[in-house]
Amino acid sequence: MSAVTAPAEVARTRSPLRVLAWVRRHLLDAYALLALGYLFLPIAIVIAFSFNNPLGRFNYTWQGFTFHNWAHPLDYPGLSGALRVSIEIALLSSLIATVLGTLIALALVRYRFRGSSTTNLLIFVPMTTPEIVMGTSLLTLFLNWRIPQGFGTILIAHVAFNISYVVVTVRARLVGFDRHLEEAAMDLGANEVVTFFRVTLPLIAPGILAASLLAFALSIDDFVITYFNAGTTTTFPLFVWGSARVAVPPQINVVGTAIFLVAVGGMLVNVVWQNRRARLSA
Amino acid sequence: MTAVGQVSDAVARDEVGDIDIQLIELSKRFDDVVAVDALSLEIERGSFFALLGPSGCGKTTTLRMIGGFEEPTSGRIELAGTDVSGLPPYKRDVNTVFQSYALFPHLTIFENVAFGLRRRKVRGDELRRRVVESLELVGLGGLERRKPRQLSGGQQQRIALARALVNRPRVLLLDEPLGALDLKLRKEMQLELKRIQHEVGITFVHVTHDQEEAMTMADRIVIMNHGQIEQLGTPSLLYEQPRTAFVASFLGVSNLLAGTVTGADRVRLADGTEVRVQRDALGGRTGSVQIGVRPEKLRLDGSESNTLEGTVAESAYIGVSTQYIVNTAAGAVTAYVQNDRPGAQAIPDGSRLTLSWNPDCTFVVDAQEAS
Ligand SMILES: Nc1ncnc2c1ncn2[C@@H]1O[C@H](COP(=O)(O)OP(=O)(O)O)[C@@H](O)[C@H]1O
Ligand SMILES: [Mg+2]
């Protein structure tokens, strides 16, 4: 092989290689964009259609842009009541589940008691049980115990499925917790209660906040379990389902979008807060 | 109570020689491990006391039982004469400097140091004054508003000390407080800790596995092994008159030579040489024993009364001294010779010489277990 032909040959063999490398380098980007699009397209449509001005009762085809729906977000019979029930249940159930779940997580991480390893496993059962099974079995339970269905049974059901998520989230935070910090607090004169509120709780607070946000989000959009245990009470998801047969008002999109924005906002606040704490402490 | 009574109480409390901590037959068992084994110990008020021993010998467990973090399996702990065995840590007049420092990451340095005072309802100007005073004691005034992670390891160590001392406890417990520092900082902090202890006059119980650290700092040292006390005493007593082979080799370098007791102050070595030892050191032992001599007590010019013939196998010049390994019929012996005269020449390898040492520098320990 002569010295003159060599560079030309190298160039020829290299250029397809270079294209391949370029494709390979950008394949992941392209894939990520597609995946994101796939995830966000439905949300984008929900948001877009909250600005639609539909002709009939069904908000299914794009007719024209309007702010009317956002100006009158609850202007549809029954919607505001259902939304209110949903928010009440989400607030109450996430609060109760957060308190109970945090205590369970503390017990599981801190103490070896009879059945603690079984509990550690059982905690995952509600997360893996199909919702339809959980919904129907709760229904069976309430019927057998003659508990009247309504707000109370929805609340009980939501607390039941939320607890597992709280336990798992808070437990993750507790596992990396330095027990010497609590010993140091006691060494300095703090009893068990003071130690918990001054040292333990502030340090696991980010985990607890994340858990309660998750519980709130899971509760406010639950349909299946709620459907079986609601009686005559109507939550927002049940309302959407019920009205869909006769009408789909754009107000549903408005409320859906609002819930989405609140959830994203809460998530961002939590992330920013945690980053700030991470920078300042630990 | 009358004023006179109060004064005499105060005097009694501060009298030197009072016992601050008393451990009585203290034991701790973890499942099948006996971490601390029937330990009895008295620690005098105002002393700098070191718990010294190899890793795993039960030092931390002992300290944690005094602090109240570990329940004894049996035995008692008395602080200033009162039994505290069942009391939680927050009811004991004791503070701890943890090896990991355990500073509260979510609180400022000020609040870390103020934590104990706030629990005792100290507020306002007095709180501020005592926190600042305590930070100045450890040389870290002005860092009040920082968070722990913004400080270096050495600074965190001092904050942990300030946080404990600000409460003016009866006893301060320190679990390998210098273990995480680099060598230079560790040497500095050893002297610093000793200065602080002198300044505040509080009893310090210092856990370490570093014999040099214990020797440098402590008034009294207890050497532990397998959860039991090997020997207790001042650094010089432990060094000059170790009672067990373990103490002799754990604390510095020792030459141990096997022999047989032949009289009230005489031991015949393996090669037949007879040497004299202190009567006390022999402690009524008979039969097989080991005698010990520290390397710096040996003379190479045969000027002392105990003698042993040998050949220089190896020598190393170390600056302040020259170290020789001398092979004798009774075993290999290490000797340090001070380089205190100008132009002294090292003795060449292979030279015959007579090692000699003073009988008063000779200690006796039990014979090695046949293995
Ligand atoms: N919480 C525990 N559970 C089981 N064994 C332990 C525990 N703490 C200490 N030990 C055991 O007790 C012995 C003494 O430990 P420790 O007091 O930490 O020794 P040191 O501080 O002298 O290194 C060791 O054998 C250790 O493994
Ligand atoms: Mg230890």
Side-chain angles (χ1 to χ4, degrees):
Chain A
M1 195 185 291
S2 78
V4 184
T5 54
E9 249 185 33
V10 168
R12 234 180 299 137
T13 49
R14 214 190 249 162
S15 57
L17 269 180
R18 209 180 289 154
V19 171
L20 208 74
W22 187 90
V23 169
R24 206 180 290 149
R25 213 176 314 127
H26 290 84
L27 203 59
L28 195 64
D29 298 349
Y31 171 77
L33 274 176
L34 279 175
L36 278 179
Y38 180 65
L39 285 175
F40 284 118
L41 195 60
I43 298 174
I45 287 175
V46 167
I47 296 174
F49 272 72
S50 73
F51 294 102
N52 192 16
N53 188 11
L55 289 176
R57 286 177 298 163
F58 289 93
N59 184 18
Y60 285 159
T61 50
W62 185 260
Q63 304 292 339
F65 185 88
T66 178
F67 278 118
H68 176 268
N69 313 321
W70 279 90
H72 308 276
L74 302 176
D75 187 15
Y76 191 82
L79 192 149
S80 71
L83 184 61
R84 190 206 180 97
V85 169
S86 268
I87 290 175
E88 281 172 6
I89 289 198
L91 282 176
L92 272 175
S93 72
S94 56
L95 183 73
I96 297 171
T98 302
V99 172
L100 293 179
T102 301
L103 294 177
I104 294 174
L106 277 166
L108 286 177
V109 174
R110 294 298 166 79
Y111 304 105
R112 297 274 119 232
F113 49 89
R114 191 189 297 265
S116 61
S117 49
T118 322
T119 314
N120 258 322
L121 276 178
L122 287 180
I123 228 53
F124 284 104
V125 171
M127 296 167 69
T128 49
T129 310
E131 279 199 76
I132 191 119
V133 175
M134 181 123 167
T136 48
S137 43
L138 276 168
L139 174 65
T140 316
L141 181 83
F142 292 139
L143 287 177
N144 275 301
W145 285 1
R146 295 181 207 292
I147 298 173
Q149 303 216 295
F151 189 90
T153 48
I154 301 176
L155 184 61
I156 292 172
H158 283 212
V159 169
F161 70 72
N162 267 338
I163 280 186
S164 296
Y165 291 93
V166 174
V167 171
V168 171
T169 313
V170 175
R171 191 174 55 184
R173 181 93 195 174
L174 274 171
V175 165
F177 189 93
D178 180 8
R179 290 301 300 278
H180 287 307
L181 293 174
E182 287 170 340
E183 289 182 347
M186 292 214 193
D187 187 71
L188 294 166
N191 62 26
E192 289 82 355
V193 175
V194 174
T195 298
F196 180 75
F197 284 106
R198 296 270 166 183
V199 175
T200 317
L201 196 58
L203 288 173
I204 62 171
I208 294 177
L209 183 71
S212 63
L213 284 174
L214 179 64
F216 185 90
L218 288 172
S219 166
I220 203 156
D221 85 331
D222 178 74
F223 177 78
V224 178
I225 294 173
T226 314
Y227 182 77
F228 284 100
N229 299 286
T232 57
T233 307
T234 307
T235 63
F236 180 67
L238 294 187
F239 173 82
V240 173
W241 162 253
S243 64
R245 273 166 295 172
V246 287
V248 179
Q251 275 79 7
I252 286 178
N253 295 55
V254 172
V255 172
T257 304
I259 292 176
F260 170 73
L261 291 179
V262 168
V264 169
M267 224 171 63
L268 282 179
V269 166
N270 193 26
V271 166
V272 169
W273 184 51
Q274 289 216 37
N275 281 348
R276 246 190 52 167
R277 278 174 59 112
R279 248 185 295 120
L280 289 181
S281 63
Chain B
M1 195 187 283
T2 63
V4 176
Q6 274 172 5
V7 168
S8 65
D9 267 8
V11 170
R13 194 185 133 143
D14 287 331
E15 202 174 288
V16 179
D18 267 9
I19 302 304
D20 248 354
I21 301 181
Q22 188 162 18
L23 310 181
I24 302 148
E25 295 281 307
L26 193 66
S27 294
K28 178 69 187 182
R29 175 189 289 274
F30 294 107
D31 303 319
D32 53 348
V33 183
V34 179
V36 177
D37 191 2
L39 194 87
S40 293
L41 189 62
E42 285 182 352
I43 299 176
E44 261 177 33
R45 171 151 201 78
S47 60
F48 199 128
F49 195 92
L51 278 175
L52 175 65
S55 174
C57 73
K59 307 179 297 288
T60 296
T61 307
T62 307
L63 208 68
R64 287 174 59 80
M65 284 193 283
I66 299 173
F69 306 113
E70 214 75 73
E71 192 76 27
T73 310
S74 65
R76 271 189 311 140
I77 300 167
E78 288 185 0
L79 284 180
T82 48
D83 190 354
V84 295
S85 304
L87 292 182
Y90 50 86
K91 289 192 178 154
R92 300 185 185 201
D93 194 7
V94 165
N95 284 117
T96 309
V97 175
F98 292 85
Q99 179 167 15
S100 58
Y101 312 143
L103 298 178
F104 306 124
H106 59 301
L107 299 180
T108 59
I109 297 309
F110 184 91
E111 285 305 325
N112 262 281
V113 177
F115 194 92
L117 294 177
R118 285 199 190 280
R119 305 284 81 74
R120 289 192 282 133
K121 308 269 180 275
V122 178
R123 295 279 187 273
D125 282 349
E126 177 170 12
L127 178 82
R128 168 148 285 282
R129 184 180 57 72
R130 282 177 67 176
V131 169
V132 169
E133 215 174 80
S134 175
L135 284 171
E136 272 162 10
L137 178 71
V138 298
L140 284 184
L143 295 184
E144 288 87 345
R145 316 245 312 253
R146 302 260 191 103
K147 286 283 183 75
R149 62 168 259 131
Q150 296 172 297
L151 304 187
S152 70
Q155 288 174 322
Q156 291 184 20
Q157 207 283 326
R158 284 162 190 259
I159 298 298
L161 190 65
R163 184 179 68 173
L165 281 175
V166 75
N167 306 293
R168 297 180 195 140
R170 178 169 276 279
V171 176
L172 186 73
L173 307 175
L174 305 106
D175 189 0
E176 313 238 7
L178 312 180
L181 305 181
D182 61 49
L183 186 66
K184 186 166 170 289
L185 206 52
R186 196 154 69 223
K187 296 276 175 217
E188 255 174 60
M189 276 309 289
Q190 287 175 3
L191 299 175
E192 181 82 357
L193 266 178
K194 207 166 160 61
R195 171 188 69 80
I196 289 172
Q197 198 264 342
H198 270 291
E199 213 165 308
V200 296
I202 290 172
T203 309
F204 276 33
V205 182
H206 181 111
V207 158
T208 178
H209 65 268
D210 180 343
Q211 49 109 358
E212 209 180 307
E213 183 173 304
M215 300 272 272
T216 310
M217 297 202 279
D219 307 326
R220 286 166 80 75
I221 301 176
V222 63
I223 298 188
M224 286 180 68
N225 193 21
H226 299 305
Q228 291 177 322
I229 294 182
E230 285 278 333
Q231 194 174 349
L232 186 158
T234 60
S236 63
L237 180 93
L238 293 178
Y239 186 78
E240 304 288 343
Q241 293 166 42
R243 277 208 310 261
T244 67
F246 178 82
V247 173
S249 48
F250 192 74
L251 219 56
V253 178
S254 286
N255 294 303
L256 293 179
L257 303 171
T260 316
V261 178
T262 52
D265 63 349
R266 285 172 188 284
V267 173
R268 192 170 59 239
L269 300 182
D271 66 333
T273 324
E274 199 158 81
V275 296
R276 284 204 303 123
V277 302
Q278 276 188 292
R279 247 170 231 270
D280 301 352
L282 206 48
R285 270 180 265 238
T286 56
S288 297
V289 294
Q290 292 183 93
I291 65 143
V293 197
R294 297 288 185 185
E296 74 280 5
K297 305 285 195 296
L298 291 167
R299 300 276 167 269
L300 303 190
D301 53 7
S303 58
E304 300 284 353
S305 60
N306 281 336
T307 58
L308 198 57
E309 302 286 323
T311 316
V312 176
E314 227 178 90
S315 67
Y317 178 78
I318 312 182
V320 287
S321 65
T322 301
Q323 178 179 330
Y324 295 95
I325 311 281
V326 180
N327 284 333
T328 74
V333 170
T334 304
Y336 299 156
V337 178
Q338 283 277 321
N339 295 325
D340 53 0
R341 255 160 260 150
Q345 287 288 311
I347 300 168
D349 293 358
S351 312
R352 296 281 307 165
L353 49 73
T354 305
L355 291 167
S356 72
W357 67 96
N358 192 315
D360 286 343
C361 295
T362 315
F363 54 85
V364 180
V365 299
D366 286 342
Q368 218 164 13
E369 304 278 307
S371 53

